[in-house]
Amino acid sequence: MEPIDPSLIDWSRAQFALTAMYHWVFVPLTLGLGLIMCIMESIYVKTGHEFWKGLTRFWMKLFGVNFAVGVATGIILEFEFGTNWSNYSWFVGDIFGAPLAVEGIVAFFLEATFIALMFFGWDKLSRGTHLMSTWMTVLGATLSAWWILVANAWMQFPVGMDFNPETVRNEMVSFAAVALSPVAVMKFLHTVTSAWVLGAVFVVGVSSWYLLRGRHSDFARASIRVASIVGLIAAIATGFTGHQSAVQIARIQPMKLAAAEGLVDGGQGVGLVGVGLLKPGVNWANPQEDPFLFKVEIPRALSILATNDPNGYVPGIRNLLEGGYPGEDGLPALSADQQMAIGKKAIQSLVTYRAAREAGDGAAAKTAEESLRRSFHYMGYGYLNSPEELVPPVAVTFYSFRVMVILGGYFVALFAGLLLLGHRIERVRLIPLGVLLSIPLAYLASEAGWVVAEVGRQPWAIQGLLPNCAAVSRLATSSVQLTFWIFLVLFTVLLLAELCIMLRVVADGPESSSKAPAAE
Amino acid sequence: MVLNLPQKLLLLNNCFISQLLLPMTYTFLQEYWCFLVCLLGALLVFLMFVQGGQTLICQLGRTEEQRRMLLLATGRKWELTFTTLVTFGGAFFASFPLFYSTSFGGAYWVWMLILLCFVIQAVSYEFMHKRSNLLGKGVYRTFLFLNGVLGPVLVGTAVGTFFFGANFVVNKVNIANAVAPSAISSWTTPWHGLEAVADFRNVLLGLAVLMLARCLAHLYFLNRVSDADLRARGLKMLPWEIAFFLVFFLSFVGCWLSATGFVVSEAVETAGRIVPMEMKFLNVLLDRPELLALLLVGVVLVLVGLLLPIIKSGSRCGIWWAGCGTVLTVLALLLSAGWGFGGVYYPSLADPQSSLTLANSCSSEFTLRVMSVVSLFIPFVLLYIIWAWRALEKRPIDSAELS
C-alpha cells in the first residue's frame, strides 16, 4: 500500500485545528455566560424581583445565539476523529470512544432536553422548575466539557490502558485512571474556569457599552457586579490551575514547556522569560546562537513554575534531544536517538509478533510480545525519521503562552478594579471603554491557551505513542483541502451572522424596563 | 499494604465494573452494544420527523403565521434529533471503533455531506427570526429545507451500505510500518462513499426514510398544531405521502429480503471465513424469529399510526403509534445486519474478508463492561426527556402561542 502523502497530514491537521478553534470561540461563552445567567436567575427566584428576570432573559438571548453555532461546530469536531484520523480512531478508540459515548448519553441529552425548557418554559413552568432547567442546561454543557477534556487529557497523558498486539490497539484497563487522571482533572478546572473568565469579561464588556451610551444603567451595574465577582474568583482559580498544569507539563511533556519558554539549554534555577522577542528562522533543535533578540527574565521563576522549587531542574530543547540530564527516576534521560531506536524495535516486535502468530509459532510470538511490552512506551518515536521532528513550532507556542499568561494577569486586575471602583467607573469614560475592548482579549487568551496545549505537543496525536503521520486517514489531499475551505467559509459566515445578531440584540437592549430594587 | 484514597477508589471502581455484569459474556456485550447503537439509530429515524417537517413548511403553511407555527413545532424538537445523531456517533465510536475508523475515514464525502447539512440546521432555527441575521430569513429556511431533504436521504443511503456493502479493505498491520505508515483501512474507490448512490437499493432506503419522515411530520403537526386550515391540508396530503412511502419502503424490503449478504462461515472447510449467503436477511429473520416479530409488529404499528387520522376524524395520536412502529421496524432492520450469522454488519465488496463483524470491530470486553454500566443511565435520560416533552407540550401550538 502507498505511504501517506505528507501534505495530507498538514491539511488534516489544519482542518482539525480550524474546526477546534472555531468551536472554541463559542464554547467558553456558553459555559461562562451560562453560569452568570444561572446566578442571576437564582437571585430572581430568591427575591422575586422582575428586574433580575429581565436581566436573565437578556443574557439568555445572547446565550441562545452563541449556543447554536457551538453545537454546529461541535458535531463536525466529533466526527472528524473518524473522518480524518482513522488510524487514531482504531489505535485508541477503545479508550477515547468511551468518554465520547458517556458525553452523549449523560451530558448532551441533559443539555438538549433542558435547553428547550429553558427557552420555551418561562410561561409554562414554575419559577423553581425553570431555574432547575437553566442550571441543568449549564450543568450538561459543563459535564460535556468534562468528558471531552478527559479524552483530550488522555491524548496528552495516556494512562489506564494496555497495548494489545493481537488487535493492534490500546485497550482500557482502568476507567477511573482515565476519567480521574490528574491531567484530566486539572485540564477541566483550568479550561472551565477560564471559560467563566471569558463569560464574565463578555458581560462586563457589554454592560460597559451601556454605561458609555448612558442606557440601561441599572441593568449594566447589576450585571457588572455579578460578572465581576464570578470573573475575579474564576481568574484567580485559572491562575492557580494554570500553575498546577505547568507542574504537570514539566513532568509529562517537558518539550512543550521548553518550547513555551524558548528554552534551549536548561539547568537548575532557570528564569522565566516575562517578555521576549525571538529571532526568526532559528533551528531550535540545535541553535548556534542565542535565539532571542531580547528578553526580560524573572530569575528562577521557571524552576518555581515547573517544580515548585527555586533550584529545580528544567530541561531545555537541546537537553531533551541529547538526553543525559537527570530523569525523574534519578537515571540519565534517554536521548531522542535512543528513544527512536527503541521505538523502531517496538514496531518491529509488533510485526514479528503478527508474523509468528500467523505462522502458528507460539514461542516466537511470545518472545516478540515480551520485547514489544518492554519497548512499547517509546513506540511512537519509531515512526520519526529525525530527532528534529520532536521539536514543536517554538515561536507559536512561545508567543501564545505569553499572551495567555499576561492576559490572565490582566483579567485578575480588571475584575478586582471593577469591584473596587464600583459605580465610580462611570466617571472616567476610558474605563468602560477599556472594559469593552477587553472582550476580544478574552477570546485571544482563550484561544492562545489551546494553541499552547495543542501546538506545543506536536508531533504527537497520542503523546509518545502515535505521531500524526501514523494517525491520519488515507484520503486524497484534494478532498481534505476542499472540505477545509468549505468549513472555513461556512464557519466564517456563521460567525459573522452570530456577531451581527449579537450586536443587534445588544443594541436593542433588555426588554424589561424594571428598575433595580433599591435594597440590592 | 496501605492504600491511599485514589488507589482505594480505583480498586473499588475496577471491582465494581468487573463484578457487576459478571455473568455477561463478551459476545453478549457485543450484541448488547449492537442493540443500543441500533436503538439509537431507530430513535434517530423516528426523530427525523423534524426533517420531514422542515420539507413541509412552505408546502403546508400558506400564510406566514402558519409557517411560523410549523417552525415553532419542529423548532422545539430539533435538538433531540441532533443530539441523538451525535450520541449515535459517539456510541458507535466507543463500541465499534473499527467501524468509526473505516467508514468515517473512508466514506468521507457521504459523512461530510451529512455533517454539513446538520450544521446548517443547527443555526437556522436560532438565527432565522433574529434581526440582522446576515443571510436573511429565506436563506435559513432554505437551509432547513435542504437539511430536511438531504438529511434523511443521505442517512438512509449510508445505512443502506450496512445491508448491501461498501468498498473498503482493512489491514491492521499497516500501522506497523515504521518507514512509511499507512492507514489500517482504506477505501477502494476514488469517490469515497459517494458511490453508494450508484446502488439503487441504498437510494431506495434513503427515499423511504425521507417519505417516512414526511409522513411522521404530518402526524406530529396534527398532534401539536391547532389550526383548522393546516389540519385540513395535512389530511389531504397525507394519503399521497403514505403511498409514496409504501412504494419506496416495499421496494426496499423486496431488495433487502432477496439480497445476497455475507456471513461468517460455520462449514468445517471454511470455518471463520466470511462467505456470501443468498437471501441473507430472509434467513436471518427465519433464524431469529424475535426480529421477525419485531419487524411485523413495527410495520403494523406504522400503518395503524399513518391511517388513524384518515379513518378516524379528529384523531391526534397517530404520531405515537407510527413513532413506536418506526422505532421497532428500524430496530429490526438494523439488528438483522448485526445479529445474524456471525454479525457481519458492514460487508466489504472489495474484499469480503475485510468485512466488519461485531467480533472483529468491537471494543475490548472491559470497555464494553464499563459502558454497559453507563448505559444504566439511559432509562433516567428517557424519563426526563418524556417529562420535559410533557411539560412543554401541555397544550397545542396555536396563533396565540406565537406571540
Side-chain angles (χ1 to χ4, degrees):
Chain A
M1 186 171 282
E2 286 171 34
I4 284 166
D5 175 7
S7 69
L8 170 66
I9 301 164
D10 292 337
W11 278 103
S12 300
R13 283 179 60 200
Q15 179 167 300
F16 199 86
L18 171 84
T19 318
M21 291 186 81
Y22 261 102
H23 186 51
W24 194 247
V25 169
F26 310 105
V27 173
L29 187 60
T30 297
L31 298 175
L33 190 55
L35 176 71
I36 292 168
M37 230 165 59
C38 285
I39 293 170
M40 288 175 173
E41 191 176 345
S42 300
I43 298 173
Y44 161 61
V45 171
K46 192 162 187 302
T47 62
H49 201 289
E50 288 295 312
F51 172 79
W52 289 101
K53 185 180 177 184
L55 221 64
T56 310
R57 291 194 71 152
F58 173 75
W59 293 114
M60 201 173 274
K61 211 182 278 182
L62 292 171
F63 176 92
V65 175
N66 177 71
F67 183 83
V69 200
V71 169
T73 47
I75 191 174
I76 302 275
L77 205 56
E78 180 190 348
F79 285 87
E80 271 182 4
F81 289 119
T83 54
N84 293 84
W85 305 99
S86 64
N87 270 7
Y88 163 91
S89 297
W90 173 248
F91 194 66
V92 301
D94 194 65
I95 303 134
F96 195 90
L100 288 191
V102 179
E103 184 187 17
I105 293 170
V106 178
F108 283 160
F109 276 109
L110 196 66
E111 207 177 346
T113 306
F114 284 99
I115 200 167
L117 289 178
M118 186 177 88
F119 282 119
F120 300 110
W122 280 108
D123 304 321
K124 293 181 166 58
L125 306 170
S126 69
R127 281 183 195 174
T129 312
H130 190 275
L131 176 65
M132 188 266 291
S133 302
T134 310
W135 275 104
M136 284 295 155
T137 303
V138 177
L139 178 68
T142 312
L143 280 176
S144 167
W146 167 266
W147 288 109
I148 195 68
L149 290 170
V150 162
N152 180 273
W154 189 85
M155 292 157 74
Q156 321 258 353
F157 181 52
V159 284
M161 92 299 185
D162 195 16
F163 183 73
N164 183 347
E166 193 61 43
T167 52
V168 197
R169 68 175 177 193
N170 292 286
E171 294 180 354
M172 185 157 57
V173 293
S174 168
F175 184 63
V178 174
L180 300 173
S181 133
V183 177
V185 172
M186 207 47 69
K187 194 169 255 301
F188 170 75
L189 293 174
H190 188 60
T191 308
V192 170
T193 51
S194 73
W196 292 349
V197 172
L198 185 141
V201 173
F202 181 83
V203 171
V204 295
V206 171
S207 304
S208 295
W209 184 77
Y210 288 124
L211 293 180
L212 280 171
R213 301 295 298 260
R215 293 169 55 196
H216 311 294
S217 299
D218 280 359
F219 162 91
R221 287 183 202 116
S223 295
I224 288 175
R225 206 172 348 142
V226 172
S228 296
I229 293 169
V230 170
L232 182 62
I233 295 168
I236 292 170
T238 306
F240 175 74
T241 52
H243 168 65
Q244 295 301 322
S245 294
V247 173
Q248 287 178 340
I249 288 167
R251 200 167 59 79
I252 60 172
Q253 294 173 308
M255 184 62 88
K256 185 193 281 186
L257 186 70
E261 274 303 309
L263 182 68
V264 177
D265 295 303
Q268 287 178 316
V270 183
L272 181 101
V273 179
V275 186
L277 197 60
L278 299 171
K279 285 179 186 163
V282 174
N283 171 16
W284 285 95
N286 189 20
Q288 300 301 315
E289 52 180 342
D290 183 0
F292 284 91
L293 285 169
F294 85 91
K295 62 179 173 183
V296 179
E297 208 172 77
I298 308 166
R300 296 181 185 274
L302 183 60
S303 285
I304 296 170
L305 182 80
T307 64
N308 286 326
D309 174 3
N311 294 315
Y313 181 85
V314 183
I317 295 171
R318 191 154 27 213
N319 308 110
L320 290 162
L321 295 182
E322 291 176 356
Y325 64 91
E328 231 182 303
D329 50 6
L331 297 170
L334 296 177
S335 70
D337 283 323
Q338 287 170 315
Q339 289 172 319
M340 284 165 58
I342 301 172
K344 289 194 192 306
K345 192 177 165 196
I347 295 170
Q348 186 51 48
S349 300
L350 175 60
V351 175
T352 310
Y353 171 85
R354 300 282 301 188
R357 287 279 294 164
E358 215 155 280
D361 186 347
K366 195 166 179 232
T367 309
E369 187 179 356
E370 281 166 7
S371 166
L372 174 59
R373 293 207 179 283
R374 280 195 301 273
S375 50
F376 176 71
H377 187 63
Y378 297 98
M379 182 166 159
Y381 292 85
Y383 294 105
L384 305 178
N385 296 316
S386 71
E388 286 76 21
E389 289 178 47
L390 283 166
V391 183
V394 174
V396 177
T397 316
F398 175 84
Y399 290 120
S400 302
F401 186 65
R402 254 121 226 103
V403 167
M404 176 185 73
V405 173
I406 292 168
L407 287 176
Y410 164 69
F411 294 133
V412 174
L414 174 77
F415 292 121
L418 287 174
L419 284 172
L420 284 173
L421 290 172
H423 290 188
R424 281 170 289 175
I425 65 165
E426 297 165 52
R427 291 182 200 161
V428 186
R429 282 180 68 82
L430 269 179
I431 297 177
L433 184 66
V435 178
L436 174 64
L437 294 176
S438 299
I439 295 177
L441 297 182
Y443 282 94
L444 187 64
S446 196
E447 294 284 356
W450 276 108
V451 170
V452 174
E454 297 303 305
V455 175
R457 74 183 173 94
Q458 294 307 313
W460 301 113
I462 308 294
Q463 185 73 32
L465 301 182
L466 190 72
N468 293 323
C469 62
V472 75
S473 299
R474 190 165 176 267
L475 295 164
T477 308
S478 56
S479 294
V480 184
Q481 284 171 330
L482 184 55
T483 48
F484 173 88
W485 291 113
I486 291 172
F487 287 142
L488 181 64
V489 172
L490 181 65
F491 292 161
T492 307
V493 170
L494 295 183
L495 177 64
L496 289 174
E498 189 209 61
L499 284 174
C500 290
I501 295 171
M502 278 195 162
L503 289 174
R504 167 59 63 183
V505 173
V506 172
D508 290 347
E511 287 162 15
S512 169
S513 54
S514 318
K515 292 281 175 202
E520 286 157 357
Chain B
M1 188 176 68
V2 182
L3 298 176
N4 59 27
L5 186 63
Q7 286 170 324
K8 282 179 189 165
L9 282 172
L10 194 72
L11 192 67
L12 190 69
N13 163 78
N14 287 353
C15 289
F16 178 70
I17 288 164
S18 56
Q19 292 305 310
L20 189 84
L21 316 167
L22 194 62
M24 297 184 183
T25 63
Y26 193 20
T27 308
F28 176 86
L29 288 166
Q30 289 164 4
E31 293 208 343
Y32 173 64
W33 272 92
C34 172
F35 172 80
L36 288 183
V37 171
C38 292
L39 182 62
L40 278 168
L43 287 169
L44 177 65
V45 174
F46 163 54
L47 290 168
M48 278 194 174
F49 69 77
V50 171
Q51 271 67 27
Q54 288 165 195
T55 65
L56 288 170
I57 285 163
C58 291
Q59 215 177 341
L60 206 55
R62 293 283 159 83
T63 64
E64 181 58 21
E65 187 182 82
Q66 286 177 341
R67 288 175 184 174
R68 289 196 68 155
M69 275 194 273
L70 298 177
L71 279 167
L72 188 60
T74 53
R76 287 180 184 176
K77 296 288 172 277
W78 77 266
E79 274 261 12
L80 276 181
T81 316
F82 200 90
T83 306
T84 308
L85 174 69
V86 175
T87 308
F88 174 74
F92 228 142
F93 189 10
S95 48
F96 300 100
L98 191 56
F99 170 81
Y100 205 79
S101 162
T102 303
S103 180
F104 286 73
Y108 186 75
W109 279 111
V110 170
W111 292 111
M112 279 294 170
L113 285 175
I114 290 174
L115 292 178
L116 282 171
C117 77
F118 275 90
V119 167
I120 56 177
Q121 182 206 30
V123 292
S124 296
Y125 278 109
E126 186 60 39
F127 287 6
M128 189 188 317
H129 294 119
K130 296 275 191 298
R131 292 200 295 150
S132 307
N133 63 14
L134 191 69
L135 301 176
K137 187 171 69 180
V139 172
Y140 291 110
R141 286 198 180 166
T142 310
F143 281 172
L144 287 185
F145 180 78
L146 285 174
N147 168 262
V149 175
L150 290 177
V153 170
L154 288 172
V155 168
T157 305
V159 169
T161 59
F162 285 102
F163 306 115
F164 308 120
N167 299 277
F168 62 89
V169 288
V170 175
N171 184 0
K172 291 173 187 168
V173 188
N174 278 346
I175 206 170
N177 184 342
V179 182
S182 190
I184 58 169
S185 54
S186 55
W187 219 248
T188 56
T189 78
W191 296 98
H192 283 287
L194 293 178
E195 72 284 342
V197 295
D199 187 333
F200 75 98
R201 298 171 300 180
N202 295 332
V203 181
L204 275 179
L205 181 57
L207 292 171
V209 173
L210 172 66
M211 293 316 298
L212 177 64
R214 280 172 67 94
C215 291
L216 290 173
H218 277 294
L219 300 180
Y220 175 68
F221 289 144
L222 289 173
N223 178 277
R224 291 306 324 141
V225 182
S226 175
D227 182 282
D229 191 31
L230 280 175
R231 184 177 180 81
R233 209 172 303 125
L235 283 172
K236 204 172 159 189
M237 285 172 69
L238 187 56
W240 290 101
E241 307 273 1
I242 295 171
F244 277 113
F245 162 64
L246 288 177
V247 168
F248 291 129
F249 179 68
L250 293 176
S251 307
F252 164 76
V253 169
C255 296
W256 175 69
L257 289 175
S258 60
T260 297
F262 288 93
V263 298
V264 176
S265 173
E266 288 179 351
V268 180
E269 64 277 14
T270 55
R273 288 188 67 77
I274 293 167
V275 294
M277 174 192 262
E278 284 185 7
M279 292 197 274
K280 174 194 168 180
F281 298 103
L282 181 62
N283 284 310
V284 169
L285 292 182
L286 297 175
D287 189 55
R288 304 283 297 245
E290 69 273 25
L291 292 185
L292 180 61
L294 209 60
L295 181 68
L296 292 176
V297 172
V299 170
V300 169
L301 288 177
V302 170
L303 290 175
V304 168
L306 292 177
L307 296 175
L308 207 57
I310 297 171
I311 53 180
K312 190 178 169 192
S313 173
S315 172
R316 290 174 54 206
C317 56
I319 182 68
W320 299 117
W321 289 87
C324 292
T326 300
V327 172
L328 296 183
T329 306
V330 178
L331 186 61
L333 286 172
L334 294 177
L335 283 176
S336 72
W339 273 11
F341 303 120
V344 186
Y345 69 91
Y346 198 50
S348 167
L349 300 174
D351 168 28
Q353 302 318 311
S354 289
S355 300
L356 304 192
T357 67
L358 294 191
N360 73 14
S361 67
C362 71
S363 284
S364 67
E365 185 172 352
F366 182 83
T367 295
L368 291 184
R369 275 186 196 281
V370 169
M371 293 197 307
S372 299
V373 175
V374 176
S375 74
L376 300 177
F377 284 101
I378 290 176
F380 297 103
V381 174
L382 288 174
L383 276 178
Y384 70 63
I385 290 174
I386 292 167
W387 172 80
W389 188 306
R390 287 171 63 90
L392 214 52
E393 310 286 15
K394 278 178 189 154
R395 64 186 191 89
I397 293 165
D398 52 23
S399 50
E401 179 93 5
L402 286 181
S403 60

